[in-house]
Amino acid sequence: MITDEKSVTKTSTKRLPLQKLYFICLVSLIIVFLFDLFIPLGVAVGVLYVVVVLLTLWTPHSKATVVAAILSSLLIITVFFYKPSVAEMWKVIFNRGISLFAVWVVAILGLQRNKTLEQRSKILFEREEALNEIRVLRGFLPICASCKKIRDDNGYWQQIEGYIRDHSEAEFTHSICPSCAEKLYPDLNKRK
């Protein structure tokens, strides 16, 4: 029961900053839109929508960035048709085109960056897991030439199986190779 309450608390605290971020994105979108409405049509105010797209890149959802880019594009185009035309319309169209281009380049590159960072963190996590699972014996192991016991760091001699089991993740099963079976149990080989 306590674990469930902790997980609920963790989820609600995770949502709160995310909700705030979405709220900030929405407010920023409205502010840029209003700013765009009151500035003359020839000024490239639409580039400020890039800020909204950049804010959405902090969210864990890539859909938020795409939605922000679409809404920004629609607002850039809406302001173009809402305001009266000016003398040098080619500048207006050019500036609106730059705004649309900037919004979509930032969205696409930002999403690609997030994807790359996510893959990188996944690979690093898998690497850490693999390193935690692997215990490697390194260096010189003093081994008895006769009985094959290994001397540990404290100077004690122990069977090779015990030493390897204690210093790695390996487990041993015992069997007899054919040449030892022939030496130890010559009667078994005669029956076959």
Side-chain angles (χ1 to χ4, degrees):
M1 186 107 176
I2 295 171
T3 310
D4 294 335
E5 290 174 359
K6 286 181 181 178
S7 65
V8 168
T9 307
K10 286 181 182 177
T11 350
S12 61
T13 56
K14 284 182 182 177
R15 284 187 192 160
L16 189 60
L18 190 60
Q19 290 172 346
K20 284 183 180 178
L21 186 59
Y22 285 139
F23 178 75
I24 291 169
C25 290
L26 183 63
V27 169
S28 301
L29 193 69
I30 292 169
I31 289 172
V32 172
F33 177 68
L34 292 175
F35 192 61
D36 196 13
L37 279 176
F38 293 111
I39 298 294
L41 197 55
V43 180
V45 176
V47 174
L48 293 177
Y49 287 107
V50 167
V51 173
V52 178
V53 175
L54 287 172
L55 286 172
T56 60
L57 289 172
W58 285 353
T59 67
H61 310 293
S62 59
K63 289 182 182 178
T65 305
V66 173
V67 168
I70 291 171
L71 284 174
S72 298
S73 299
L74 290 174
L75 293 176
I76 290 168
I77 294 169
T78 302
V79 170
F80 174 74
F81 288 113
Y82 177 75
K83 286 188 162 188
S85 60
V86 293
E88 296 177 326
M89 201 57 158
W90 68 272
K91 287 182 182 178
V92 174
I93 294 171
F94 184 73
N95 287 339
R96 294 289 153 177
I98 287 174
S99 300
L100 290 171
F101 179 74
V103 163
W104 283 101
V105 165
V106 168
I108 291 168
L109 291 178
L111 288 173
Q112 186 62 40
R113 180 183 178 273
N114 284 354
K115 184 179 176 182
T116 303
L117 288 176
E118 186 178 302
Q119 289 173 345
R120 181 181 180 267
S121 64
K122 180 181 174 186
I123 289 169
L124 288 175
F125 177 74
E126 289 172 355
R127 178 181 165 259
E128 287 299 317
E129 277 188 343
L131 287 175
N132 288 337
E133 290 178 9
I134 296 174
R135 291 177 62 190
V136 179
L137 294 175
R138 292 189 177 137
F140 291 105
L141 294 176
I143 188 166
C144 175
S146 176
C147 68
K148 305 299 183 203
K149 285 185 180 178
I150 294 180
R151 187 178 69 223
D152 63 14
D153 295 336
N154 299 326
Y156 297 107
W157 293 89
Q158 70 182 101
Q159 292 289 336
I160 191 168
E161 296 94 345
Y163 184 86
I164 292 175
R165 184 189 60 240
D166 293 344
H167 293 84
S168 73
E169 298 293 323
E171 292 292 329
F172 286 92
T173 61
H174 289 88
S175 185
I176 297 177
C177 70
S179 60
C180 289
E182 218 175 281
K183 290 178 197 173
L184 296 172
Y185 306 106
D187 295 338
L188 287 177
N189 285 333
K190 290 179 183 176
R191 292 183 190 169
K192 292 183 180 180

